[in-house]
Amino acid sequence: GAGVSQTPSNKVTEKGKYVELRCDPISGHTALYWYRQSLGQGPEFLIYFQGTGAADDSGLPNDRFFAVRPEGSVSTLKIQRTERGDSAVYLCASSFGQGGNIQYFGAGTRLSVL
Amino acid sequence: AQSVTQLDSHVSVSEGTPVLLRCNYSSSYSPSLFWYVQHPNKGLQLLLKYTSAATLVKGINGFEAEFKKSETSFHLTKPSAHMSDAAEYFCVVSLNTGNQFYFGTGTSLTVIP
């Protein structure tokens, strides 16, 4: 596809369950980012991949959150033992390179933890 | 440290009148600055980017922003608002040598017919 694709667009789960959120970046983009946007707030950085490796995971709130990008393209954000406070829109972005380059965003996955 | 302050959480203008969305930034290094727009249930879309080539940056849909280093500001303007401009606008700072974007809290623009 031409843009960043995120699936599912909406995810409803129960407290304590495990969820996976998928991001398919723009073809050829080496950098991939995950952000979390809570209601009424700007997006907050979670983790950044350069290729297959997580170059910066300083934004992950705790060890229930984990992300992978095994082949340097598609990435999966994994949340274990979900809590109601995890409810938010999770945004993925990709860019060609890093360091101030334009990031292109997907439409996001809206996660609701009941 | 890097941060962005959007001075107005809500701005309301009449259709056809000028738009001003204010942004101040803090950065220890020479930053890249962006404005993104977010329409309901849509992804963030880039309006414009400041790269130090010129202090006045022109973007899409008639928007422009002026980088003022002395005031650490990067305000977004448009001469004449359209109904389709109603959306959430985010000012963003990024280090030229860094990775992540730092977002402001957003300004919700309402356009009154």
Side-chain angles (χ1 to χ4, degrees), chain A residues 60-103:
Chain A
L60 294 177
N62 52 59
D63 61 6
R64 295 187 296 107
F65 288 75
F66 188 71
V68 296
R69 194 186 186 199
E71 298 179 357
S73 178
V74 171
S75 175
T76 305
L77 178 66
K78 308 180 180 191
I79 309 174
Q80 299 177 320
R81 304 183 303 281
T82 52
E83 299 177 357
R84 291 193 179 88
D86 298 334
S87 297
V89 176
Y90 289 82
L91 296 169
C92 177
S94 69
S95 71
F96 184 72
Q98 60 181 68
N101 282 0
I102 295 169
Q103 294 183 19

mmCIF file of all heavy atoms in Angstrom, chain A residues 60-103:
data_model
loop_
_atom_site.group_PDB
_atom_site.id
_atom_site.type_symbol
_atom_site.label_atom_id
_atom_site.label_comp_id
_atom_site.label_asym_id
_atom_site.label_seq_id
_atom_site.Cartn_x
_atom_site.Cartn_y
_atom_site.Cartn_z
ATOM 1 N N LEU A 60 8.491 3.007 26.488
ATOM 2 C CA LEU A 60 7.601 1.926 26.925
ATOM 3 C C LEU A 60 7.319 2.101 28.420
ATOM 4 O O LEU A 60 8.246 2.202 29.220
ATOM 5 C CB LEU A 60 8.230 0.563 26.670
ATOM 6 C CG LEU A 60 8.437 0.179 25.204
ATOM 7 C CD1 LEU A 60 9.135 -1.167 25.091
ATOM 8 C CD2 LEU A 60 7.116 0.170 24.450
ATOM 9 N N PRO A 61 6.052 2.118 28.808
ATOM 10 C CA PRO A 61 5.722 2.466 30.201
ATOM 11 C C PRO A 61 6.127 1.417 31.232
ATOM 12 O O PRO A 61 6.426 1.776 32.370
ATOM 13 C CB PRO A 61 4.208 2.662 30.167
ATOM 14 C CG PRO A 61 3.740 1.938 28.966
ATOM 15 C CD PRO A 61 4.845 1.968 27.980
ATOM 16 N N ASN A 62 6.134 0.161 30.869
ATOM 17 C CA ASN A 62 6.515 -0.901 31.803
ATOM 18 C C ASN A 62 6.758 -2.181 31.013
ATOM 19 O O ASN A 62 6.641 -2.197 29.780
ATOM 20 C CB ASN A 62 5.419 -1.100 32.861
ATOM 21 C CG ASN A 62 4.050 -1.296 32.243
ATOM 22 O OD1 ASN A 62 3.835 -2.230 31.467
ATOM 23 N ND2 ASN A 62 3.123 -0.389 32.530
ATOM 24 N N ASP A 63 7.097 -3.256 31.732
ATOM 25 C CA ASP A 63 7.482 -4.483 31.029
ATOM 26 C C ASP A 63 6.290 -5.274 30.489
ATOM 27 O O ASP A 63 6.472 -6.362 29.929
ATOM 28 C CB ASP A 63 8.343 -5.366 31.930
ATOM 29 C CG ASP A 63 7.609 -5.796 33.196
ATOM 30 O OD1 ASP A 63 6.397 -5.499 33.324
ATOM 31 O OD2 ASP A 63 8.243 -6.422 34.051
ATOM 32 N N ARG A 64 5.083 -4.761 30.619
ATOM 33 C CA ARG A 64 3.947 -5.409 29.963
ATOM 34 C C ARG A 64 3.907 -5.080 28.467
ATOM 35 O O ARG A 64 3.210 -5.754 27.711
ATOM 36 C CB ARG A 64 2.635 -4.969 30.616
ATOM 37 C CG ARG A 64 2.473 -5.396 32.067
ATOM 38 C CD ARG A 64 1.068 -5.062 32.571
ATOM 39 N NE ARG A 64 0.812 -3.630 32.586
ATOM 40 C CZ ARG A 64 0.018 -3.013 31.714
ATOM 41 N NH1 ARG A 64 -0.590 -3.711 30.761
ATOM 42 N NH2 ARG A 64 -0.178 -1.714 31.810
ATOM 43 N N PHE A 65 4.645 -4.061 28.092
ATOM 44 C CA PHE A 65 4.666 -3.614 26.704
ATOM 45 C C PHE A 65 5.936 -4.115 26.029
ATOM 46 O O PHE A 65 7.043 -3.993 26.580
ATOM 47 C CB PHE A 65 4.630 -2.089 26.629
ATOM 48 C CG PHE A 65 3.319 -1.482 26.993
ATOM 49 C CD1 PHE A 65 2.902 -1.414 28.314
ATOM 50 C CD2 PHE A 65 2.482 -0.964 26.010
ATOM 51 C CE1 PHE A 65 1.674 -0.856 28.652
ATOM 52 C CE2 PHE A 65 1.260 -0.392 26.341
ATOM 53 C CZ PHE A 65 0.860 -0.338 27.664
ATOM 54 N N PHE A 66 5.764 -4.642 24.817
ATOM 55 C CA PHE A 66 6.904 -5.143 24.068
ATOM 56 C C PHE A 66 6.595 -4.999 22.578
ATOM 57 O O PHE A 66 5.440 -5.070 22.173
ATOM 58 C CB PHE A 66 7.129 -6.631 24.412
ATOM 59 C CG PHE A 66 8.393 -7.194 23.852
ATOM 60 C CD1 PHE A 66 9.621 -6.815 24.368
ATOM 61 C CD2 PHE A 66 8.370 -8.103 22.804
ATOM 62 C CE1 PHE A 66 10.788 -7.335 23.859
ATOM 63 C CE2 PHE A 66 9.531 -8.626 22.289
ATOM 64 C CZ PHE A 66 10.744 -8.233 22.814
ATOM 65 N N ALA A 67 7.602 -4.760 21.767
ATOM 66 C CA ALA A 67 7.388 -4.649 20.325
ATOM 67 C C ALA A 67 8.494 -5.366 19.587
ATOM 68 O O ALA A 67 9.626 -5.444 20.069
ATOM 69 C CB ALA A 67 7.322 -3.187 19.893
ATOM 70 N N VAL A 68 8.153 -5.880 18.416
ATOM 71 C CA VAL A 68 9.122 -6.585 17.580
ATOM 72 C C VAL A 68 8.990 -6.130 16.139
ATOM 73 O O VAL A 68 7.944 -5.639 15.710
ATOM 74 C CB VAL A 68 8.925 -8.122 17.667
ATOM 75 C CG1 VAL A 68 9.204 -8.613 19.075
ATOM 76 C CG2 VAL A 68 7.535 -8.523 17.211
ATOM 77 N N ARG A 69 10.077 -6.352 15.411
ATOM 78 C CA ARG A 69 10.094 -6.052 13.976
ATOM 79 C C ARG A 69 11.072 -7.035 13.331
ATOM 80 O O ARG A 69 12.150 -6.659 12.904
ATOM 81 C CB ARG A 69 10.522 -4.597 13.744
ATOM 82 C CG ARG A 69 10.252 -4.094 12.335
ATOM 83 C CD ARG A 69 10.836 -2.717 12.125
ATOM 84 N NE ARG A 69 10.466 -2.182 10.820
ATOM 85 C CZ ARG A 69 11.120 -1.179 10.237
ATOM 86 N NH1 ARG A 69 12.153 -0.611 10.829
ATOM 87 N NH2 ARG A 69 10.714 -0.736 9.064
ATOM 88 N N PRO A 70 10.720 -8.305 13.312
ATOM 89 C CA PRO A 70 11.681 -9.378 13.011
ATOM 90 C C PRO A 70 12.344 -9.317 11.647
ATOM 91 O O PRO A 70 13.482 -9.768 11.505
ATOM 92 C CB PRO A 70 10.834 -10.648 13.156
ATOM 93 C CG PRO A 70 9.426 -10.194 13.018
ATOM 94 C CD PRO A 70 9.372 -8.799 13.555
ATOM 95 N N GLU A 71 11.667 -8.793 10.648
ATOM 96 C CA GLU A 71 12.250 -8.767 9.305
ATOM 97 C C GLU A 71 12.503 -7.348 8.822
ATOM 98 O O GLU A 71 12.752 -7.129 7.630
ATOM 99 C CB GLU A 71 11.341 -9.528 8.340
ATOM 100 C CG GLU A 71 11.188 -11.000 8.721
ATOM 101 C CD GLU A 71 10.264 -11.752 7.786
ATOM 102 O OE1 GLU A 71 9.683 -11.118 6.871
ATOM 103 O OE2 GLU A 71 10.120 -12.973 7.959
ATOM 104 N N GLY A 72 12.418 -6.398 9.720
ATOM 105 C CA GLY A 72 12.715 -5.020 9.361
ATOM 106 C C GLY A 72 11.628 -4.323 8.586
ATOM 107 O O GLY A 72 11.862 -3.240 8.032
ATOM 108 N N SER A 73 10.426 -4.931 8.584
ATOM 109 C CA SER A 73 9.303 -4.284 7.902
ATOM 110 C C SER A 73 8.129 -4.172 8.858
ATOM 111 O O SER A 73 8.078 -3.236 9.646
ATOM 112 C CB SER A 73 8.925 -5.061 6.644
ATOM 113 O OG SER A 73 7.815 -4.467 6.013
ATOM 114 N N VAL A 74 7.236 -5.164 8.857
ATOM 115 C CA VAL A 74 6.070 -5.162 9.736
ATOM 116 C C VAL A 74 6.514 -5.219 11.201
ATOM 117 O O VAL A 74 7.475 -5.896 11.557
ATOM 118 C CB VAL A 74 5.169 -6.363 9.416
ATOM 119 C CG1 VAL A 74 4.060 -6.508 10.447
ATOM 120 C CG2 VAL A 74 4.583 -6.221 8.016
ATOM 121 N N SER A 75 5.774 -4.477 12.024
ATOM 122 C CA SER A 75 6.050 -4.485 13.462
ATOM 123 C C SER A 75 4.779 -4.847 14.219
ATOM 124 O O SER A 75 3.667 -4.538 13.774
ATOM 125 C CB SER A 75 6.540 -3.112 13.914
ATOM 126 O OG SER A 75 6.715 -3.066 15.321
ATOM 127 N N THR A 76 4.963 -5.484 15.361
ATOM 128 C CA THR A 76 3.846 -5.827 16.234
ATOM 129 C C THR A 76 4.119 -5.269 17.617
ATOM 130 O O THR A 76 5.192 -5.496 18.190
ATOM 131 C CB THR A 76 3.656 -7.349 16.328
ATOM 132 O OG1 THR A 76 3.500 -7.896 15.021
ATOM 133 C CG2 THR A 76 2.420 -7.670 17.159
ATOM 134 N N LEU A 77 3.160 -4.540 18.139
ATOM 135 C CA LEU A 77 3.208 -4.053 19.516
ATOM 136 C C LEU A 77 2.373 -5.012 20.356
ATOM 137 O O LEU A 77 1.219 -5.283 20.034
ATOM 138 C CB LEU A 77 2.651 -2.634 19.618
ATOM 139 C CG LEU A 77 2.602 -2.012 21.024
ATOM 140 C CD1 LEU A 77 4.007 -1.807 21.563
ATOM 141 C CD2 LEU A 77 1.847 -0.689 20.991
ATOM 142 N N LYS A 78 2.977 -5.518 21.411
ATOM 143 C CA LYS A 78 2.331 -6.538 22.237
ATOM 144 C C LYS A 78 2.123 -5.987 23.644
ATOM 145 O O LYS A 78 3.051 -5.426 24.227
ATOM 146 C CB LYS A 78 3.199 -7.793 22.289
ATOM 147 C CG LYS A 78 3.597 -8.305 20.901
ATOM 148 C CD LYS A 78 4.445 -9.551 20.972
ATOM 149 C CE LYS A 78 4.819 -10.015 19.560
ATOM 150 N NZ LYS A 78 5.420 -11.368 19.551
ATOM 151 N N ILE A 79 0.932 -6.167 24.156
ATOM 152 C CA ILE A 79 0.622 -5.710 25.511
ATOM 153 C C ILE A 79 0.090 -6.898 26.306
ATOM 154 O O ILE A 79 -0.924 -7.500 25.936
ATOM 155 C CB ILE A 79 -0.413 -4.574 25.520
ATOM 156 C CG1 ILE A 79 0.002 -3.464 24.547
ATOM 157 C CG2 ILE A 79 -0.545 -3.997 26.935
ATOM 158 C CD1 ILE A 79 -1.037 -2.359 24.389
ATOM 159 N N GLN A 80 0.763 -7.215 27.386
ATOM 160 C CA GLN A 80 0.336 -8.333 28.249
ATOM 161 C C GLN A 80 -0.484 -7.795 29.415
ATOM 162 O O GLN A 80 -0.299 -6.651 29.847
ATOM 163 C CB GLN A 80 1.578 -9.055 28.799
ATOM 164 C CG GLN A 80 2.458 -9.660 27.743
ATOM 165 C CD GLN A 80 3.705 -10.298 28.338
ATOM 166 O OE1 GLN A 80 4.307 -9.762 29.262
ATOM 167 N NE2 GLN A 80 4.092 -11.448 27.814
ATOM 168 N N ARG A 81 -1.364 -8.643 29.924
ATOM 169 C CA ARG A 81 -2.137 -8.326 31.143
ATOM 170 C C ARG A 81 -2.684 -6.896 31.071
ATOM 171 O O ARG A 81 -2.398 -6.057 31.923
ATOM 172 C CB ARG A 81 -1.260 -8.509 32.381
ATOM 173 C CG ARG A 81 -0.646 -9.899 32.483
ATOM 174 C CD ARG A 81 0.161 -10.055 33.773
ATOM 175 N NE ARG A 81 1.216 -9.065 33.923
ATOM 176 C CZ ARG A 81 2.392 -9.107 33.331
ATOM 177 N NH1 ARG A 81 2.682 -10.116 32.505
ATOM 178 N NH2 ARG A 81 3.294 -8.165 33.541
ATOM 179 N N THR A 82 -3.453 -6.638 30.036
ATOM 180 C CA THR A 82 -3.931 -5.273 29.798
ATOM 181 C C THR A 82 -4.668 -4.708 31.002
ATOM 182 O O THR A 82 -5.354 -5.423 31.745
ATOM 183 C CB THR A 82 -4.860 -5.222 28.575
ATOM 184 O OG1 THR A 82 -5.895 -6.219 28.731
ATOM 185 C CG2 THR A 82 -4.095 -5.460 27.296
ATOM 186 N N GLU A 83 -4.527 -3.406 31.161
ATOM 187 C CA GLU A 83 -5.196 -2.659 32.217
ATOM 188 C C GLU A 83 -6.059 -1.574 31.581
ATOM 189 O O GLU A 83 -5.822 -1.165 30.442
ATOM 190 C CB GLU A 83 -4.155 -2.026 33.145
ATOM 191 C CG GLU A 83 -3.257 -3.047 33.827
ATOM 192 C CD GLU A 83 -2.188 -2.401 34.698
ATOM 193 O OE1 GLU A 83 -2.110 -1.151 34.721
ATOM 194 O OE2 GLU A 83 -1.442 -3.151 35.362
ATOM 195 N N ARG A 84 -7.047 -1.097 32.345
ATOM 196 C CA ARG A 84 -7.956 -0.090 31.796
ATOM 197 C C ARG A 84 -7.186 1.156 31.373
ATOM 198 O O ARG A 84 -7.538 1.834 30.414
ATOM 199 C CB ARG A 84 -9.053 0.236 32.796
ATOM 200 C CG ARG A 84 -10.005 -0.921 32.986
ATOM 201 C CD ARG A 84 -11.276 -0.539 33.712
ATOM 202 N NE ARG A 84 -12.150 -1.710 33.820
ATOM 203 C CZ ARG A 84 -12.123 -2.594 34.811
ATOM 204 N NH1 ARG A 84 -11.243 -2.439 35.811
ATOM 205 N NH2 ARG A 84 -12.933 -3.631 34.832
ATOM 206 N N GLY A 85 -6.115 1.466 32.085
ATOM 207 C CA GLY A 85 -5.300 2.625 31.742
ATOM 208 C C GLY A 85 -4.542 2.506 30.436
ATOM 209 O O GLY A 85 -3.976 3.493 29.961
ATOM 210 N N ASP A 86 -4.529 1.301 29.858
ATOM 211 C CA ASP A 86 -3.875 1.122 28.555
ATOM 212 C C ASP A 86 -4.776 1.581 27.407
ATOM 213 O O ASP A 86 -4.324 1.667 26.257
ATOM 214 C CB ASP A 86 -3.529 -0.359 28.328
ATOM 215 C CG ASP A 86 -2.558 -0.901 29.359
ATOM 216 O OD1 ASP A 86 -1.790 -0.099 29.928
ATOM 217 O OD2 ASP A 86 -2.576 -2.121 29.603
ATOM 218 N N SER A 87 -6.022 1.879 27.700
ATOM 219 C CA SER A 87 -6.953 2.328 26.663
ATOM 220 C C SER A 87 -6.450 3.633 26.049
ATOM 221 O O SER A 87 -6.191 4.610 26.754
ATOM 222 C CB SER A 87 -8.348 2.535 27.244
ATOM 223 O OG SER A 87 -8.872 1.311 27.721
ATOM 224 N N ALA A 88 -6.300 3.632 24.739
ATOM 225 C CA ALA A 88 -5.743 4.780 24.021
ATOM 226 C C ALA A 88 -5.751 4.442 22.529
ATOM 227 O O ALA A 88 -6.107 3.328 22.143
ATOM 228 C CB ALA A 88 -4.315 5.076 24.476
ATOM 229 N N VAL A 89 -5.332 5.414 21.738
ATOM 230 C CA VAL A 89 -5.072 5.147 20.319
ATOM 231 C C VAL A 89 -3.568 4.931 20.160
ATOM 232 O O VAL A 89 -2.764 5.764 20.589
ATOM 233 C CB VAL A 89 -5.538 6.308 19.429
ATOM 234 C CG1 VAL A 89 -5.159 6.038 17.978
ATOM 235 C CG2 VAL A 89 -7.046 6.505 19.549
ATOM 236 N N TYR A 90 -3.216 3.820 19.573
ATOM 237 C CA TYR A 90 -1.810 3.486 19.351
ATOM 238 C C TYR A 90 -1.480 3.789 17.892
ATOM 239 O O TYR A 90 -2.089 3.236 16.977
ATOM 240 C CB TYR A 90 -1.548 2.025 19.713
ATOM 241 C CG TYR A 90 -1.618 1.813 21.208
ATOM 242 C CD1 TYR A 90 -2.848 1.647 21.849
ATOM 243 C CD2 TYR A 90 -0.471 1.850 21.989
ATOM 244 C CE1 TYR A 90 -2.931 1.518 23.225
ATOM 245 C CE2 TYR A 90 -0.540 1.706 23.366
ATOM 246 C CZ TYR A 90 -1.777 1.544 23.978
ATOM 247 O OH TYR A 90 -1.840 1.416 25.344
ATOM 248 N N LEU A 91 -0.510 4.674 17.720
ATOM 249 C CA LEU A 91 -0.141 5.146 16.391
ATOM 250 C C LEU A 91 1.212 4.579 15.975
ATOM 251 O O LEU A 91 2.127 4.483 16.789
ATOM 252 C CB LEU A 91 -0.044 6.673 16.380
ATOM 253 C CG LEU A 91 -1.338 7.443 16.656
ATOM 254 C CD1 LEU A 91 -1.032 8.922 16.873
ATOM 255 C CD2 LEU A 91 -2.314 7.284 15.508
ATOM 256 N N CYS A 92 1.305 4.254 14.719
ATOM 257 C CA CYS A 92 2.559 3.800 14.145
ATOM 258 C C CYS A 92 2.978 4.805 13.074
ATOM 259 O O CYS A 92 2.127 5.376 12.374
ATOM 260 C CB CYS A 92 2.382 2.419 13.532
ATOM 261 S SG CYS A 92 3.832 1.770 12.699
ATOM 262 N N ALA A 93 4.263 5.042 12.963
ATOM 263 C CA ALA A 93 4.792 5.922 11.933
ATOM 264 C C ALA A 93 6.047 5.304 11.340
ATOM 265 O O ALA A 93 6.727 4.505 11.991
ATOM 266 C CB ALA A 93 5.116 7.296 12.511
ATOM 267 N N SER A 94 6.340 5.665 10.113
ATOM 268 C CA SER A 94 7.592 5.218 9.519
ATOM 269 C C SER A 94 8.264 6.386 8.808
ATOM 270 O O SER A 94 7.617 7.378 8.454
ATOM 271 C CB SER A 94 7.366 4.051 8.541
ATOM 272 O OG SER A 94 6.678 4.457 7.377
ATOM 273 N N SER A 95 9.556 6.274 8.651
ATOM 274 C CA SER A 95 10.306 7.321 7.948
ATOM 275 C C SER A 95 11.494 6.696 7.237
ATOM 276 O O SER A 95 11.941 5.598 7.584
ATOM 277 C CB SER A 95 10.780 8.411 8.905
ATOM 278 O OG SER A 95 11.807 7.936 9.751
ATOM 279 N N PHE A 96 12.000 7.437 6.265
ATOM 280 C CA PHE A 96 13.202 6.987 5.560
ATOM 281 C C PHE A 96 14.371 7.554 6.341
ATOM 282 O O PHE A 96 14.651 8.747 6.279
ATOM 283 C CB PHE A 96 13.194 7.487 4.119
ATOM 284 C CG PHE A 96 14.353 6.980 3.325
ATOM 285 C CD1 PHE A 96 14.405 5.650 2.935
ATOM 286 C CD2 PHE A 96 15.405 7.807 2.978
ATOM 287 C CE1 PHE A 96 15.476 5.158 2.210
ATOM 288 C CE2 PHE A 96 16.475 7.320 2.256
ATOM 289 C CZ PHE A 96 16.523 6.001 1.868
ATOM 290 N N GLY A 97 15.066 6.738 7.092
ATOM 291 C CA GLY A 97 16.136 7.223 7.926
ATOM 292 C C GLY A 97 15.586 7.800 9.218
ATOM 293 O O GLY A 97 14.503 7.461 9.667
ATOM 294 N N GLN A 98 16.336 8.715 9.807
ATOM 295 C CA GLN A 98 15.964 9.235 11.120
ATOM 296 C C GLN A 98 16.437 10.669 11.215
ATOM 297 O O GLN A 98 16.637 11.305 10.204
ATOM 298 C CB GLN A 98 16.664 8.397 12.195
ATOM 299 C CG GLN A 98 18.192 8.443 12.054
ATOM 300 C CD GLN A 98 18.883 7.598 13.083
ATOM 301 O OE1 GLN A 98 18.802 6.387 13.059
ATOM 302 N NE2 GLN A 98 19.558 8.246 14.014
ATOM 303 N N GLY A 99 16.498 11.159 12.456
ATOM 304 C CA GLY A 99 17.104 12.452 12.678
ATOM 305 C C GLY A 99 16.353 13.612 12.059
ATOM 306 O O GLY A 99 16.911 14.383 11.289
ATOM 307 N N GLY A 100 15.083 13.750 12.413
ATOM 308 C CA GLY A 100 14.333 14.899 11.934
ATOM 309 C C GLY A 100 13.647 14.678 10.608
ATOM 310 O O GLY A 100 13.033 15.610 10.074
ATOM 311 N N ASN A 101 13.755 13.469 10.061
ATOM 312 C CA ASN A 101 13.032 13.198 8.811
ATOM 313 C C ASN A 101 11.531 13.147 9.060
ATOM 314 O O ASN A 101 11.068 12.857 10.158
ATOM 315 C CB ASN A 101 13.494 11.869 8.214
ATOM 316 C CG ASN A 101 14.829 12.001 7.516
ATOM 317 O OD1 ASN A 101 15.425 13.073 7.478
ATOM 318 N ND2 ASN A 101 15.308 10.904 6.969
ATOM 319 N N ILE A 102 10.777 13.396 8.016
ATOM 320 C CA ILE A 102 9.321 13.378 8.111
ATOM 321 C C ILE A 102 8.859 11.981 8.506
ATOM 322 O O ILE A 102 9.308 10.980 7.937
ATOM 323 C CB ILE A 102 8.686 13.794 6.782
ATOM 324 C CG1 ILE A 102 9.019 15.251 6.472
ATOM 325 C CG2 ILE A 102 7.164 13.591 6.821
ATOM 326 C CD1 ILE A 102 8.658 15.664 5.054
ATOM 327 N N GLN A 103 7.971 11.903 9.477
ATOM 328 C CA GLN A 103 7.352 10.635 9.845
ATOM 329 C C GLN A 103 5.945 10.594 9.252
ATOM 330 O O GLN A 103 5.194 11.568 9.346
ATOM 331 C CB GLN A 103 7.300 10.486 11.364
ATOM 332 C CG GLN A 103 8.689 10.362 11.984
ATOM 333 C CD GLN A 103 8.654 10.133 13.478
ATOM 334 O OE1 GLN A 103 7.640 9.721 14.043
ATOM 335 N NE2 GLN A 103 9.779 10.378 14.135
#
